[in-house]
Amino acid sequence: ERWVVQPLDGAAPVALRVQHLRMARRMSETAMGGLVVATILSVLLVAVALQSGPFSKVRALVPMASLMWYLTTLVACYWLHAPLLADGVIVPAISEMGISTSGRLMYRVGFGFCGFMLAITMVVVHSLFSRFHPGTGLE
């Protein structure tokens, strides 16, 4: 049995076998709410870390938050993408895990905040470094 589908780019219709049609998993409403809460908490962590003193323990949480965003994004994107894995593929490319709609949202938000937290980590490290080595930092 075959289905005839029309590609979004306006190309000619394509006939597909039913066994080749697979859909990725979707994020639940609870997971979407969790993503919003994690985003808000991450922004608050950055605000508190930048307002705290240079030797505050809160600043040590920023790189840990970056690591958590990275690991959570990898696991979530893999879980969302798992039904689309080709036969014999165990670990897909990172960019491949963001092709479904839910996967794309998680991919963009997760890796975006991972990079944001790493950038804030560099600001914190720079402030610590410039305290002990004045004149060698970026002024």
Side-chain angles (χ1 to χ4, degrees), residues 33-46:
L35 186 61
V36 169
V37 168
T39 302
I40 292 168
L41 289 176
S42 296
V43 170
L44 288 174
L45 173 64
V46 167

Side-chain angles (χ1 to χ4, degrees), residues 13-134:
V14 179
L16 297 174
R17 291 185 182 144
V18 174
Q19 65 264 28
H20 291 211
L21 296 176
R22 298 183 198 164
M23 291 189 61
R25 292 184 178 118
R26 297 182 150 262
M27 283 178 67
S28 66
E29 293 296 322
T30 305
M32 290 291 275
L35 186 61
V36 169
V37 168
T39 302
I40 292 168
L41 289 176
S42 296
V43 170
L44 288 174
L45 173 64
V46 167
V48 169
L50 291 177
Q51 291 296 322
S52 64
F55 298 109
S56 171
K57 293 180 181 176
V58 174
R59 288 187 171 202
L61 295 176
V62 176
M64 299 306 288
S66 177
L67 177 65
M68 289 309 298
W69 271 107
Y70 174 74
L71 294 175
T72 303
T73 302
L74 279 180
V75 169
C77 285
Y78 184 82
W79 183 81
L80 291 168
H81 183 74
L84 300 179
L85 288 175
D87 295 334
V89 175
I90 297 171
V91 180
I94 287 180
S95 58
E96 183 184 338
M97 291 192 288
I99 61 173
S100 66
T101 305
S102 293
R104 189 177 314 123
L105 174 70
M106 186 64 208
Y107 187 90
R108 288 177 179 171
V109 172
F111 285 125
F113 266 94
C114 178
F116 175 64
M117 294 293 188
L118 286 175
I120 297 301
T121 299
M122 294 309 299
V123 170
V124 170
V125 168
H126 171 68
S127 69
L128 285 173
F129 180 77
S130 61
R131 278 189 79 114
F132 294 109
H133 303 282

